[in-house]
Amino acid sequence: MPVCKEQPCRTIVKLPKTTSQFVPFRLGSKQDRLTNKPIARSFSSKFRNTKFHLGRVFPALYSSTKMKKNAIALVSTTLLITVGLYFFHLVNTKSRRFQNNFIRQFPPYFAEKVASMDLDNSQMLVGVSDTLIYLTDAELEGSILSIGLSLNPRTIRVHSLPDRSLFTSLKVAGEYLFLTQGNKGKFLFSKLDSIRPYPFPVALPPFASLAGQTPQISIIRIVDFNARTTVFARTADPSQISVPLERQIDGIFCTDGFLEYSNTLKKWIYIYRYRNEFLTIDSLLSIRHCGNTIDTIGRASLKVAERNGVITLSSPPVVVVQNMHVDGNYLFVQSPLVARNESSLFTKHNSSIDVYDLRNGSYLFSFYIPKERGHSIRNFRVVKHKLVALFPGRISVYKLNFSEFKAL
Amino acid sequence: MRRRFIIDTICTAFVGLFGYAAVSKLIDYKTFLVQLGQSPLLTEYATTVAWLVPAVEMLTVVLFITVRFRLLALYASFTLMVAFSVYIVVITQFSDYVPCSCGGVLEKLSWNQHLVFNLVFVALAVVAIVLHSKEAAEEETLLQ
């Protein structure tokens, strides 16, 4: 009988591939000698052999439970706060931006854009004459640029400004350039054709604003912080002052407004910033009620606080007039208030300007100036039925088709 | 050791920040109230926010001092700094009226600078929370 030798046992084990697959522990990893349990290697080594794994981008998702909880807590807190504050803002804004109980009338095709030009973002509109637009930079460190109403770059001229310490604001009025430093009562003027300023011969008290046709035919608005009154005085004789403006709340903020001169009426127009009234002031400083703007805010809606002799607004005020300008017999008012027949979505992309007849104080109509590059009008001027609108980084000229409005 | 040093440094920075902010707001409470009133987002809740924010800041400082609640303090700091940062973004980007910034020395900063300052502290809070959690996890492993 043949003898069979016992064959040794052979066990074939298929080992998993360790090159391109992700495995928590590699074979041959270090093991605790006592327990034979694999010792966890460093966090990054787990992903060393992977070409791409989500764990490399979001390690918290594949890390320990505590880290994962921390990550979820941090991210959810951030999202909660962001969403919560944004909706809180929306609710607050909606409650304040109510539609007012007045209606605007819009004649068709009234404002037609005729020219547009890019500018430096810091440029300010300081005035317009019959043929030219005058600009300067916000810091008043450069010069005055004049450019034709056609916005043709070939018409750009540069005029150097005098010593910066002599003034803090400037504006073009008629044929003159007015340079003022109101808080010190400084007033310089110059002809536009040759900008060489001269000091006004009469000493002026500190004033808030100045407007007029010529340096002699000008008035200043004086704000008396002690008496809490706002009065007007002529530059030719500042000792004579007008009666104070009607005080509604504090006498300073509540009477704030814009002052411009009408060449045709030969009077000054003052419009309140926070209430719906505009006045005329004649050369004898007689103040007369001229008319009301179409909104319903007859009383200034603002709160003031006084501390250490400083008066400040203590809540965001309701602004009735954002900007204004006078051209002949017409008053142009940029109002941020939404009318009853306006869509807030539409007003979001346009600035509305209301037009009033200064001869009888009546409202005529309104028109829109579209926002440019997401920005509303920073400032505007109207001259000879052309509206020059300044936006941040851009200027546009609109032709106002008064002939389209048959009532005129 | 280094990890502990980083956590302690960040916690000290937060204690200094919130302590200074809370004290400066409480010292000139009326000014802070007026400044809050000027915010279009908070004007109707100015009175409540004027005492709530300094109170939360002081409470956070107390939590930092109590080592046991340090992680909770870090979470509170993170929440506060995120809230302040989002507030700045909402006010500067979505609001039609931008009030002045407030907060003692931080009054000198512009809104954008203030935002960057806040985001830096948000990042510090995140770093401290992660390091603290890692340390706690390692301590648990050692104890096991």
Side-chain angles (χ1 to χ4, degrees), chain A residues 66 70 88 312-316, chain B residues 37-38 41 45 75 78 133 140:
Chain A
K66 203 157 211 156
N70 279 333
F88 185 68
T312 182
L313 287 170
S314 63
S315 70
Chain B
Q38 291 176 342
L41 203 60
Y45 314 100
Y75 270 112
F78 172 81
S133 301
E140 275 184 31

Side-chain angles (χ1 to χ4, degrees), chain A residues 124-138:
Chain A
M124 276 172 32
L125 181 62
V126 296
V128 291
S129 64
D130 289 350
T131 53
L132 294 173
I133 301 168
Y134 294 89
L135 301 156
T136 188
D137 60 86

